Amino acid sequence: MNLADSAFLRACRREPVPHTPVWYMRQAGRSLPEYHKVRAGVPMLTACATPDLIVEITMQPVRRLGVDAAVFFSDIVVPLKAIGIDLDIKPGVGPVIADPIRDAKGIEALRPLEPGDIPYVTEAIQALTGELGATPLIGFTGAPFTLGSYLIEGGPSKNHDRTKAMMYGAPELWHALMDRLTGIVLQHLRIQVAAGASAVQLFDSWVGAVAPDDYREFILPYTRRIFEGVAGVPRIHFGVGTGELLGVLGEAGADVVGVDWRVPLDEAARRVGPGKALQGNLDPAILLAPWEVVERKAREVLRRGEAAEGHVFNLGHGVLPSTDPDQLKRLTDLVHEHTPTA
């Protein structure tokens, strides 16, 4: 089988598939013992800049689970670090920004991303595509709103208060920040595609904090620009808590809309509208339950997913660190037994 005929890419293009394809967000690491072994003593951002480690960690779930796609091992803040932002990923906390961006001077310091800033990304993707063969590689990046929130807040935020304060109270600053970040994000995706990524995912993890009208005014123009600027590969758009945004997410230009666990896939298909495939959406916490519960819930996701024009099975967010890899393997095998009727 050649790469273009993979079940994953076919589902993204809303073409008939031999079985429902499956991959898992955060499958590259976290729950796998072999991941913890190779990451021992290696800081996250060091691992993300070491091609041999990137390749090994990206390949681990493909070998163990037999998923239909690999996802590039990295972090959404890698391009920010690469252009000189003083940040670190602190275990148990997440990205922490030394000097949060709150004014025009801080925004002006966000210079464009160049291919030479992230040579390890290109090197690792080129090595991976050779090793993966007919298995697609998904590249990814963070979306402007989510990256902007980290930069403004200085780290993870529960309510995104400072972010919204800039968005509502200083819209000229907000649009300047979104414009800069859009250029960085778009270049990050283009570098990955040029190196050989078969698909890309835009993670707007925290955009569920925004109301639909505000998304349309303050975020949609930038998301649309990103998707319009990436050609030749399927594009996936994902956010958490975005049930109320699914309609406008469907307008942003992606080929596939990721759905978290809060909205059933048949209802999500109705909200997103025609012309899109869906990805999702088993609650990651269900994998901590006994297998019979996992099986029942997974079959429900598969059944409801048949309402979509194409369905890529996934979790509604990332694999939880305490997940038993054997549960993931059994789930992968279960999904592969499913042939969509449509």
Side-chain angles (χ1 to χ4, degrees), residues 222-264:
Y222 305 101
T223 316
R224 192 174 268 155
R225 199 168 107 202
I226 291 164
F227 287 128
E228 286 174 351
V230 180
V233 298
R235 302 151 300 174
I236 309 168
H237 195 186
F238 174 75
V240 182
T242 52
E244 296 300 321
L245 298 178
L246 286 172
V248 68
L249 291 185
E251 298 173 27
D255 305 288
V256 185
V257 176
V259 184
D260 76 4
W261 63 92
R262 294 171 177 86
V263 179

Side-chain angles (χ1 to χ4, degrees), residues 286-339:
I286 286 170
L287 282 159
L288 308 182
W291 170 249
E292 53 269 24
V293 178
V294 177
E295 180 178 13
R296 186 178 81 249
K297 294 287 193 177
R299 290 189 187 281
E300 180 75 0
V301 170
L302 288 165
R303 183 182 68 79
R304 291 180 181 271
E306 294 200 6
E309 294 179 30
H311 178 212
V312 176
F313 190 98
N314 207 312
L315 305 181
H317 199 196
V319 174
L320 297 171
S322 55
T323 304
D324 181 352
D326 291 340
Q327 288 274 66
L328 278 174
K329 173 61 176 161
R330 289 184 77 177
L331 177 58
T332 305
D333 292 344
L334 174 71
V335 175
H336 282 161
E337 292 169 7
H338 182 263
T339 305

Side-chain angles (χ1 to χ4, degrees), residues 159-210:
N159 297 313
H160 310 278
D161 300 339
R162 291 180 182 273
T163 306
K164 290 184 174 184
M166 182 187 289
M167 190 172 78
Y168 294 130
E172 70 292 340
L173 274 183
W174 175 262
H175 287 294
L177 176 61
M178 290 296 100
D179 183 65
R180 292 280 177 123
L181 288 172
T182 295
I184 292 164
V185 166
L186 181 51
Q187 177 73 321
H188 190 211
L189 290 178
R190 285 173 169 166
I191 289 167
Q192 293 175 78
V193 172
S198 302
V200 292
Q201 176 157 310
L202 185 69
F203 278 91
D204 213 346
S205 307
W206 309 135
V207 79
V210 175

